Amino acid sequence: MPEPIEWIKQCVAADDVVERLFVLRRPSGAVPGVVWLPPSARAPRPLILLGHGGSGYKRSARIVELAQSFVARSGFAAVAIDGPYHGDRVPAPLPPAEYQARIAREGIEVVLDRMADDWLATVNALAGAGLADISNVGYLGMSMGTRFGLPLAAAMGDRLRCAVFGKFGLRQGPGVHEGLDAPQRVAADARRVTAPVLFHVQWHDEIFPRDGQLALFDLLGSPDKELAGYPGGHAETRPAAVGRWREFVSRHLRAPAKSRRHPT
């Protein structure tokens, strides 16, 4: 049975996009999230999961921009949840050194598994509420969004229709807590990914070196994967890159059912 959603607040944003804040009460702890929906009641709809980066939370500017675009332009539903020590999971925002240290103390693999379970519970809850088509789900997340998106994609297998990953790799720079370094786990999850993938690389990334990102791309088990490289450091993202993310997701989630692989 899907875990019930506790709805916290609803508002109407630009282009009549409906934004609804929620919490899932899980045995492992509360999962704060937000879902964006078209104004019409017709459902279920394709669902895009948006994973935020380490410096953000579920309503970061990039997440809100992407969500509103997918809803207004494509008619999808979009959802984001807070990361493990981010947003409403903590009393106040934590600097990278602090949230990374907390993840390391808890154990990176423990946190990876819990976040994947939180995402799966969120998908099932939205489907149970009649708001999303559980057979037509995509994922988009950069950096920390890829760190936690890979285990989710591995767990979902063919149930996931597409994923956009990037700004993350098998090697990390000196600015990331050594307790978060788990190349064997990352590689194992990557090999289990079967959904079509668009992988974004910042060519001069100082946090996750390029060679480690390219090695991760090579390991992805998907038979349909694309590599997109752009100049600049980790924090840089060109508008053209965001447009390519949107096009990739929209193309796969709009594909006729007969052209998609069926869930096993």
Side-chain angles (χ1 to χ4, degrees), residues 19-86:
E19 180 180 291
R20 302 181 72 181
L21 293 170
F22 66 86
V23 173
L24 289 183
R25 305 291 179 185
R26 310 200 66 223
S28 58
V31 181
V34 55
V35 61
W36 292 266
L37 300 161
S40 69
R42 183 176 63 82
R45 300 173 178 276
L47 176 65
I48 176 66
L49 316 178
L50 300 172
H52 66 78
S55 61
Y57 75 118
K58 63 182 177 297
R59 291 200 74 261
S60 296
R62 173 65 52 72
I63 296 294
V64 173
E65 176 191 0
L66 285 167
Q68 292 181 344
S69 175
F70 281 123
V71 174
R73 298 183 185 183
S74 302
F76 301 160
V79 63
I81 62 174
D82 283 326
Y85 293 99
H86 298 74

Side-chain angles (χ1 to χ4, degrees), residues 121-145:
T122 299
V123 171
N124 290 334
L126 292 176
L131 298 176
D133 179 359
I134 198 170
S135 69
N136 200 3
V137 178
Y139 182 88
L140 192 161
M142 295 287 121
S143 193
M144 192 183 81

Side-chain angles (χ1 to χ4, degrees), residues 229-263:
Y230 297 87
H234 185 81
E236 297 183 50
T237 306
R238 297 190 174 191
V242 178
R244 186 166 180 180
W245 304 346
R246 290 176 179 142
E247 187 279 329
F248 182 85
V249 170
S250 296
R251 171 162 43 93
H252 284 281
L253 295 190
R254 284 173 171 164
K258 65 181 180 180
S259 69
R260 303 186 199 134
R261 292 165 299 165
H262 293 283

